[in-house]
Amino acid sequence: EERADALAIIDIQKDYAPDTEHTSTTTEATAMGDLDQAVAKMKDRDLDSSYACCYYPWVQIRDSIDGSSLWVPPSVVALGSMAYTESRKDVWFAPAGFARGGLTETDAGGVKVTGVRQDLTSRERDKLYDVGINPIASFPAEGIVIFGQKTLQNVKSALDRINVRRLLIFLKKEISRIASRTLFEQNVQETWNAFSGEVDTLLSAVQTRLG
């Protein structure tokens, strides 16, 4: 919130607990994670920021070095899908859905995803989405897909979507870069016109590319 120039991708509590986080009282059942507890924990934390987002559940990936399978937090493939979206489209496109969030169909996660820690029903996906947790779902035909792109902003607005927040972060940085080249120039209309012209060119290019 203070920086206003980055999007935090956080991993949530009460999701899967890997071996490294087990305690003496951890059982296989408690290590699996609990969707209802995860939802309740998010409600208790009452996070409210368009500069953050989260996902559920953990996913299984194939190690590209030795071919072994391992479980990783959902933030790993969330980052991958954002990078994939930028490479195929732009930062203001949603990093979710079958085209850009298809983790098995398109390898959008940046690594080969082979499974999810929990299979989610439609009702469970809705429970997660209601508290701003983006579900990672498995479909029989389409495979594993990131099925949401909410930020953790509570108030309903355009900024409760990841692609909109990332668009504004992008624009702020680009306009700041243009402004920095204007520093110490004469404070006259010619300077203002030059600045406005560069910004208009940037905004028009974004709009042309569906931003």
Side-chain angles (χ1 to χ4, degrees):
E1 287 287 337
E2 290 176 7
R3 290 172 52 123
D5 67 350
L7 179 74
I9 305 173
I10 67 170
D11 289 311
I12 64 174
Q13 296 168 314
K14 300 303 179 181
D15 198 346
Y16 172 66
D19 294 347
T20 50
E21 294 180 13
H22 287 188
T23 66
S24 58
T25 59
T26 302
T27 64
E28 187 63 30
T30 58
M32 278 297 294
D34 185 295
L35 186 143
D36 288 330
Q37 287 186 30
V39 168
K41 200 72 176 175
M42 285 302 288
K43 286 180 179 177
D44 290 344
R45 293 177 75 181
D46 195 29
L47 299 175
D48 183 12
S49 175
S50 68
Y51 290 98
C53 61
C54 62
Y55 297 78
Y56 184 99
W58 280 48
V59 297
Q60 188 177 54
I61 67 168
R62 183 170 293 123
D63 191 320
S64 59
I65 297 173
D66 65 8
S68 63
S69 293
L70 64 152
W71 293 101
V72 297
S75 56
V76 172
V77 291
L79 281 164
S81 72
M82 290 181 196
Y84 181 85
T85 298
E86 281 184 56
S87 69
R88 297 303 171 99
K89 290 288 187 179
D90 280 295
V91 297
W92 49 84
F93 281 77
F98 299 109
R100 293 176 300 279
L103 301 178
T104 46
E105 280 286 304
T106 62
D107 284 343
V111 287
K112 188 70 177 176
V113 177
T114 56
V116 284
R117 190 78 260 192
Q118 291 174 259
D119 283 318
L120 304 175
T121 65
S122 174
R123 188 176 178 182
E124 287 173 332
R125 294 199 304 269
D126 290 344
K127 275 186 182 180
L128 292 167
Y129 213 53
D130 283 346
V131 293
I133 303 171
N134 296 304
I136 299 178
S138 181
F139 296 92
E142 295 85 358
I144 299 164
V145 180
I146 294 176
F147 215 63
Q149 67 127 4
K150 269 192 177 182
T151 66
L152 288 173
Q153 176 175 288
N154 292 333
V155 177
K156 290 188 182 300
S157 79
L159 285 172
D160 68 6
R161 294 295 184 269
I162 288 170
N163 66 318
V164 178
R165 170 43 72 203
R166 296 192 75 215
L167 165 62
L168 293 186
I169 289 172
F170 168 79
L171 289 177
K172 181 179 179 180
K173 287 184 175 181
E174 290 301 307
I175 293 170
S176 293
R177 204 169 281 130
I178 294 169
S180 68
R181 296 196 296 268
T182 311
L183 281 174
F184 303 111
E185 295 301 314
Q186 296 295 86
N187 188 12
V188 294
Q189 192 62 47
E190 183 182 343
T191 300
W192 281 100
N193 290 345
F195 171 74
S196 296
E198 284 196 67
V199 172
D200 284 345
T201 300
L202 166 68
L203 295 178
S204 295
V206 169
Q207 190 174 37
T208 300
R209 301 194 329 253
L210 304 182

